[in-house]
Amino acid sequence: MKIDKNTLNMLSALPDDSLWKMICAIGSQSGIDLSGVQVKPEDISKLRSAMGNLTDEDISRALQILESTKKQGK
């Protein structure tokens, strides 16, 4: 899945449970297991708010960080 501002806007419009499932799926694709993470409704609300404030540069930097952690794990 290509992650950009439009994708984040679409994801942030999902209901809480669907948003969390998508986050877990994206994490899994990146080698991050979030299955043991417990989230509260207020956590999802904060996450949704943060997603709305991200710039294209923020997203690009986050993707670079994910890529570098995948390379270190090999």
Side-chain angles (χ1 to χ4, degrees):
M1 169 184 278
K2 179 182 177 207
I3 300 176
D4 58 18
K5 188 69 176 164
N6 289 332
T7 304
L8 291 180
N9 288 338
M10 182 269 308
L11 290 173
S12 67
L14 294 172
D16 289 357
D17 61 331
S18 297
L19 173 58
W20 182 243
K21 286 177 186 174
M22 287 299 298
I23 290 169
C24 289
I26 293 167
S28 179
Q29 289 175 351
S30 300
I32 301 168
D33 180 12
L34 297 172
S35 62
V37 176
Q38 298 292 320
V39 293
K40 300 176 210 150
E42 58 267 18
D43 296 332
I44 294 290
S45 178
K46 289 176 187 176
L47 184 59
R48 185 176 276 116
S49 176
M51 289 169 56
N53 291 323
L54 290 174
T55 65
D56 288 329
E57 291 88 28
D58 296 330
I59 296 165
S60 177
R61 180 65 182 134
L63 293 172
Q64 288 174 350
I65 292 168
L66 281 173
E67 274 302 311
S68 70
T69 59
K70 285 193 326 191
K71 290 176 185 174
Q72 291 174 4
K74 290 184 179 181

